[in-house]
Amino acid sequence: MNIVGVAACTAGIAHTYIAKEKLENAARKRGHKIHMETQGVIGVEDALSSGEIETADVVILATDVSISGKDRFEGKKVVEVPTETVVMSPNKLIEKIEELV
C-alpha cells in the first residue's frame, strides 16, 4: 500500500512525532510505503506533495486537533484516529487498514 497521513496532537510536541515514527515503522515493517506530515508548534514539517496524495491508497489522520489542509484528501479513503491509538497500537492499526483497503 501507499500511505500518506498527518500527525497532530494537542500540544503539537511529543505525541505528534511519536505517532509519526510509530506509524512509519509499523507500515514499513509490513512492506508499505508511507509519508507522514506533522503539524505542531513549529508549523508543518515533511509536507505532503499533491503527487503523493494523488497516488495514495489511504490517508491516515492521527490527530487530536483540527489540521490545516484537510480538504486535500477529498475523494481519498481517510482513516481518522487519535494519536494515542497510534502510539499504543500502530501495528493493529495498519492491519485494520489493510483489511479496509
Side-chain angles (χ1 to χ4, degrees):
M1 265 190 311
N2 190 13
I3 304 166
V4 298
V6 178
C9 70
T10 308
I13 305 172
H15 280 87
T16 298
Y17 298 100
I18 294 168
K20 174 186 175 175
E21 183 180 343
K22 295 254 186 179
L23 271 175
E24 288 175 340
N25 290 340
R28 289 185 182 125
K29 185 172 145 183
R30 296 188 61 86
H32 305 301
K33 183 179 175 190
I34 184 167
H35 183 162
M36 291 295 296
E37 170 182 297
T38 57
Q39 294 187 17
V41 291
I42 57 175
V44 175
E45 292 183 286
D46 298 319
L48 299 168
S49 71
S50 57
E52 288 170 320
I53 296 167
E54 187 177 316
T55 60
D57 298 306
V58 66
V59 177
I60 301 172
L61 299 180
T63 60
D64 301 321
V65 293
S66 295
I67 59 166
S68 61
K70 192 173 179 180
D71 58 321
R72 302 176 281 173
F73 309 119
E74 201 169 300
K76 303 300 287 184
K77 289 180 186 166
V78 177
V79 175
E80 295 188 58
V81 294
T83 57
E84 186 175 339
T85 300
V86 174
V87 170
M88 300 303 282
S89 304
N91 295 315
K92 286 189 180 187
L93 176 62
I94 295 297
E95 289 172 22
K96 283 272 191 205
I97 291 170
E98 289 172 342
E99 292 172 14
L100 291 171
V101 177

